[in-house]
Amino acid sequence: MKRSSVLTLFVSAALVPTLSFGSSHREAPTIAGLPKVDGTDLYLFRSYEPGRQGYTTILANYIPVQDAYGGPNFFEMDPQAIYAINIDNTGDAVPDISFQFRFTNTQKKLAVPSGGQNIPVPLINIGPVDKDGKALNVTESYTLNVSWNNGHSRGAAENSSLGGATFFKPVDNIGQKSIPDYASYASNFVYDVKLPNCSTLGRVFVGQRKEGFVVNLGEIFDLVNTNPAGPRDGEPNTLADKNVTTIALELPTSCLTQGKDPVIGAWTTASIPQSHVSGDNLGTEGNWVASDGRQMTQVSRLANPLINEVIIGLPDKDKFNSSKPADDAQFLKYVTNPSLPVLLNVLFGKAATPPQTPRNDLVAAFLTGVKGLNQPVSVHPAEIMRLNTSIAPTAAAAQNDLGVLGGDNAGFPNGRRPFDDVTDIELRVAMGALCGKIGNCGSQTADPNNGAPYTDGAKAAGADAASSRATGQINLADTRSEERRVGKECRSR
């Protein structure tokens, strides 16, 4: 079976054990203590390989900043949680389609004879691992259920590759002795999937991936301890040796849109049983009842990058994670009157002039979509990622990592691709790059910083660097300065 899609490129991208100002790593007090359900990044784009232009890829990353040496248990998904990818195709910020993933972690209790007794082993595997997993002490499987028609219709997805309704997750990348070729091993877990509301097969994969987000993480959160107008590739990618767990769907675009409007919105959420939530920071807005009757609470919500991390104020971070997009009017002040430009002005003075408020440009970029680009025909303002599926995808070699700012309308904020440098994009937009172009900044109709090329200094070297590299060491393609810094170290391994 030929699997040449973006989904397969991500299957080859996990690090052999050896993407924070990244979108949403430990961004709120409660979720910082719940890493298994911490959504880190969402990607939404039309597949751009030859022959796949009729499909849309959605990637939802969870469990941030995984170290490759994170054994012996590594990074299992939470079997009590429900992970969801939600699609709005009518512009009302309510999920018209919801893909819900539930995991089962099975312990085999493998044992070895020791002094006449069979003693259970403490490790996740007792020998080399193949796709059948006989040497694994723990296996992870999942089901995918789909709801549509505003939740009134439900059905289970079918595994068209294996039959039945069960899918399997590859074990995390333990190491080369256990799994000599992790990319080939993981590719066995890309499945054809038959959705109950779609006549054409899609594809699904869940498993550990190399963190695709490129960012100068440490210095950004140290009061922006870098030159924000310096070279775009002058700083190391702090996340170069980290992993995440990706929930990936590649689906026919026609099964995601509705009617004549080509714009869809997406966000990912994770919920856990209400009995597992302590404290009252989340409130009750995120409480809901699952189809099996369990009382659940939404603890993670993610769409556009950096919103809860650097836009939403500290007192409301937990509340945002448990909220529904349709109710985002309660957070409007953080968008129209953002604090980030003010903080940057304090740090850098005239080199970072805060635009006037209210920021109608940010309302368009993050709440309604940009008119003529990715705004639905009828729109309810909400913080969700919007993609105009009628805009042709840009081939990997021709992609501009500044997305729309760089003249590439197939990139962020029209959805988001792995190559899009959302940190640089959002720094520039926050400081007024789109003032007057998509909405005024107070009375300003032009960028008050005259197109200053703000950057965190970390840059991906190419569109494939974030999606199709499988290495046993730091990915030297992330930034050229990173290559200079660690090249000697990696060559000596």
Side-chain angles (χ1 to χ4, degrees):
M1 183 181 301
K2 185 177 180 181
R3 295 187 170 107
S4 59
S5 65
V6 167
L7 192 64
T8 305
L9 290 178
F10 268 84
V11 168
S12 68
L15 282 176
V16 175
T18 348
L19 264 169
S20 93
F21 202 73
S23 294
S24 181
H25 300 59
R26 297 171 52 82
E27 83 287 352
T30 296
I31 201 62
L34 299 168
K36 289 190 176 185
V37 287
D38 186 357
T40 68
D41 284 284
L42 180 71
Y43 300 87
L44 174 69
F45 54 95
R46 280 188 55 185
S47 300
Y48 43 78
E49 289 73 29
R52 304 300 298 180
Q53 288 88 344
Y55 291 80
T56 293
T57 297
I58 313 167
L59 309 170
N61 290 345
Y62 281 85
I63 314 182
V65 290
Q66 299 174 20
D67 288 316
Y69 43 83
N73 295 308
F74 294 93
F75 305 95
E76 299 173 4
M77 300 292 269
D78 187 346
Q80 299 298 318
I82 298 176
Y83 302 83
I85 293 174
N86 305 293
I87 300 295
D88 166 30
N89 55 28
T90 57
D92 61 359
V94 174
D96 296 294
I97 310 171
S98 183
F99 304 96
Q100 298 183 352
F101 294 76
R102 304 187 189 194
F103 292 83
T104 299
N105 302 338
T106 303
Q107 292 190 12
K108 296 182 181 178
K109 301 180 180 179
L110 297 179
V112 296
S114 178
Q117 299 184 57
N118 284 331
I119 303 300
V121 300
L123 304 177
I124 199 171
N125 65 306
I126 60 172
V129 176
D130 59 17
K131 64 182 178 64
D132 297 321
K134 293 180 181 178
L136 284 176
N137 205 9
V138 178
T139 59
E140 290 185 80
S141 61
Y142 60 95
T143 58
L144 168 56
N145 290 286
V146 185
S147 67
W148 64 101
N149 292 335
N150 293 321
H152 297 298
S153 302
R154 299 176 182 272
E158 299 176 13
N159 187 330
S160 295
S161 298
L162 299 180
T166 301
F167 304 82
F168 295 92
K169 173 183 173 289
V171 70
D172 291 342
N173 205 329
I174 302 167
Q176 291 185 339
K177 186 173 183 179
S178 295
I179 312 174
D181 185 350
Y182 190 78
S184 296
Y185 161 74
S187 68
N188 293 292
F189 298 85
V190 180
Y191 299 112
D192 290 328
V193 59
K194 174 67 172 68
L195 302 177
N197 59 333
C198 182
S199 60
T200 304
L201 294 180
R203 288 171 179 161
V204 64
F205 169 84
V206 178
Q208 191 180 56
R209 304 291 85 208
K210 181 190 183 298
E211 170 63 272
F213 197 87
V214 176
V215 64
N216 177 19
L217 179 60
E219 292 181 340
I220 283 291
F221 280 126
D222 182 18
L223 297 178
V224 194
N225 187 19
T226 187
N227 178 5
R232 292 189 62 207
D233 61 351
E235 299 289 349
N237 170 27
T238 316
L239 301 180
D241 62 347
K242 302 300 181 183
N243 297 323
V244 291
T245 299
T246 296
I247 299 174
L249 288 168
E250 186 184 41
L251 303 175
T253 301
S254 60
C255 294
L256 297 174
T257 57
Q258 180 170 302
K260 296 182 179 180
D261 192 346
V263 176
I264 60 174
W267 67 101
T268 183
T269 59
S271 301
I272 59 177
Q274 291 178 19
S275 59
H276 293 194
V277 179
S278 59
D280 57 2
N281 290 342
L282 295 171
T284 60
E285 185 178 347
N287 294 347
W288 61 285
V289 180
S291 58
D292 59 4
R294 287 189 298 163
Q295 302 288 322
M296 306 295 291
T297 294
Q298 179 183 303
V299 294
S300 179
R301 168 189 164 189
L302 178 67
N304 290 297
L306 309 178
I307 297 301
N308 202 5
E309 202 149 28
V310 298
I311 300 298
I312 303 298
L314 186 60
D316 285 328
K317 285 180 176 292
D318 282 333
K319 186 177 183 180
F320 180 85
N321 268 349
S322 66
S323 65
K324 299 178 176 63
D327 298 327
D328 278 350
Q330 63 186 313
F331 305 114
L332 181 61
K333 66 181 181 182
Y334 292 116
V335 178
T336 59
N337 299 71
S339 62
L340 179 61
V342 178
L343 295 174
L344 291 175
N345 176 250
V346 170
L347 293 170
F348 299 105
K350 294 181 180 179
T353 301
Q356 294 177 6
T357 59
R359 296 293 302 276
N360 291 318
D361 61 325
L362 298 185
V363 170
F366 299 121
L367 300 184
T368 65
V370 178
K371 200 166 187 178
L373 178 72
N374 64 343
Q375 186 178 109
V377 173
S378 175
V379 62
H380 178 88
E383 197 286 295
I384 61 180
M385 184 175 290
R386 302 185 192 275
L387 172 69
N388 185 341
T389 62
S390 70
I391 294 178
T394 303
Q399 289 179 12
N400 188 307
D401 68 342
L402 291 178
V404 174
L405 282 184
D408 184 354
N409 284 349
F412 185 77
N414 182 33
R416 178 188 176 190
R417 303 165 304 196
F419 184 45
D420 292 333
D421 190 342
V422 294
T423 305
D424 284 11
I425 295 170
E426 292 202 352
L427 279 172
R428 298 178 190 196
V429 171
M431 296 311 296
L434 296 178
C435 286
K437 295 180 180 179
I438 63 173
N440 290 346
C441 302
S443 61
Q444 292 173 328
T445 58
D447 178 2
N449 291 292
N450 301 310
Y454 298 113
T455 179
D456 70 320
K459 180 181 184 296
D464 65 340
S467 62
S468 63
R469 302 296 177 89
T471 82
Q473 54 204 18
I474 291 175
N475 188 344
L476 301 185
D478 284 333
T479 65
R480 287 187 285 275
S481 67
E482 180 74 356
E483 181 173 352
R484 292 192 293 270
R485 189 175 73 85
V486 302
K488 181 177 179 181
E489 172 193 350
C490 290
R491 286 192 294 272
S492 66
R493 292 182 183 179

